[in-house]
Amino acid sequence: MTLTVAEFCRFNLKSRVKLLEKDGVFLVSRKVYDKFIVKLYKLYKFLVEVIIHSYNREIIKIEPVMNNEIIELYNYF
């Protein structure tokens, strides 16, 4: 199975989590202001960021990376 970014964006949060668990490849994570953990995944042919609240580990948002400058924040590539 493969999806485009537009198709991925149509899914709700719960479905996005399931897709990442099934087909996502974890790459790297970073902390933001000690308040959030942001994880970067490769999903099919695009990158996805998962934003998690540091305190309760709740997933706040899962979005595809639309701006390649964001990748520079990870010091990974």
Side-chain angles (χ1 to χ4, degrees):
M1 183 172 137
T2 179
L3 292 174
T4 65
V5 173
E7 290 169 330
F8 178 77
C9 289
R10 291 185 198 131
F11 286 97
N12 63 23
L13 183 64
K14 186 175 179 179
S15 296
R16 291 178 186 192
V17 169
K18 287 183 181 181
L19 279 170
L20 281 178
E21 288 173 349
K22 181 179 175 277
D23 296 328
V25 176
F26 172 75
L27 299 175
V28 67
S29 66
R30 63 186 172 95
K31 285 193 172 190
V32 179
Y33 304 121
D34 288 331
K35 190 173 183 178
F36 302 103
I37 300 168
V38 184
K39 295 184 176 185
L40 185 67
Y41 286 83
K42 172 100 170 141
L43 182 66
Y44 309 121
K45 295 182 179 180
F46 56 94
L47 298 173
V48 175
E49 279 190 316
V50 178
I51 301 170
I52 304 166
H53 196 280
S54 293
Y55 177 70
N56 61 8
R57 303 286 192 224
E58 178 183 354
I59 295 175
I60 298 169
K61 193 161 128 178
I62 300 175
E63 295 292 332
V65 176
M66 303 302 271
N67 182 350
N68 288 334
E69 292 177 3
I70 289 173
I71 297 169
E72 294 174 8
L73 298 172
Y74 289 95
N75 297 320
Y76 178 75
F77 299 95

